[in-house]
């Protein structure tokens, strides 16, 4: 999806766990834990308050990090959420790709049985749309 903002601006939002609930298309992210870093970096750990039926907390670790280009994290289950950013046109826009990667999951059968791939594909569409809307509103 093309977002009307430079890659650095989008990356700064993605690297701020305190803003993840603003774009979360799944409806499960409620906010960062108080001890979450203000900005993510390679290997950073950050906790999130979540709710899927019942509230719970999830700790994530940044597993891929290339400033203004790539950020990915995973939690205890080892499946990964990844954002890839590529400048588009004159650089005032960015092509953003979000993926859910279950290939390293510790419980791949659980992902299949719960419909996680299908559910996450829909959430990714909503997340990218929210990201696009957020930057359209600020321009």
């Amino acid at each position: 999806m093309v977002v009307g903002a430079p890659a650095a601006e989008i990356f700064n939002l993605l690297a701020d766990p305190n803003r993840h609930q603003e774009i979360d298309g799944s409806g499960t992210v409620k906010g960062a834990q108080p001890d979450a870093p203000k900005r993510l970096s390679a290997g950073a750990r950050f906790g999130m308050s979540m709710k899927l039926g019942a509230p719970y907390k999830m700790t994530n670790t940044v597993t891929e990090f290339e400033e203004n280009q790539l950020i990915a994290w995973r939690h205890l289950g080892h499946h990964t959420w990844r954002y890839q950013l590529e400048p588009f046109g004159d650089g005032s826009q960015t092509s953003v790709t979000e993926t859910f990667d279950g290939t390293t999951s510790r419980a791949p059968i659980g992902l299949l049985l719960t419909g996680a791939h299908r559910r996450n594909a829909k959430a990714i569409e909503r997340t990218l749309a929210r990201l696009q809307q957020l930057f359209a509103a600020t321009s």
Side-chain angles (χ1 to χ4, degrees), residues 24-113:
D24 170 47
S26 72
T28 61
V29 177
K30 300 306 173 191
Q33 291 293 301
D35 60 348
K38 293 193 185 304
R39 190 166 199 283
L40 300 176
S41 58
R45 291 174 49 91
F46 63 103
M48 300 300 288
S49 295
M50 310 287 291
K51 185 173 182 185
L52 182 60
Y56 63 99
K57 295 178 186 353
M58 185 63 62
T59 300
N60 300 288
T61 302
V62 176
T63 55
E64 301 171 49
F65 189 92
E66 294 176 36
E67 189 73 34
N68 300 332
Q69 297 176 49
L70 173 69
I71 188 167
W73 53 80
R74 69 179 186 202
H75 59 63
L76 181 64
H78 277 225
H79 28 285
T80 300
W81 285 264
R82 180 179 296 110
Y83 291 86
Q84 296 169 279
L85 308 177
E86 185 175 330
F88 186 81
D90 65 359
S92 65
Q93 297 181 322
T94 305
S95 175
V96 181
T97 304
E98 180 186 5
T99 54
F100 171 75
D101 181 356
T103 61
T104 57
S105 175
R106 290 182 170 169
I109 193 72
L111 294 177
L112 291 173
L113 292 174

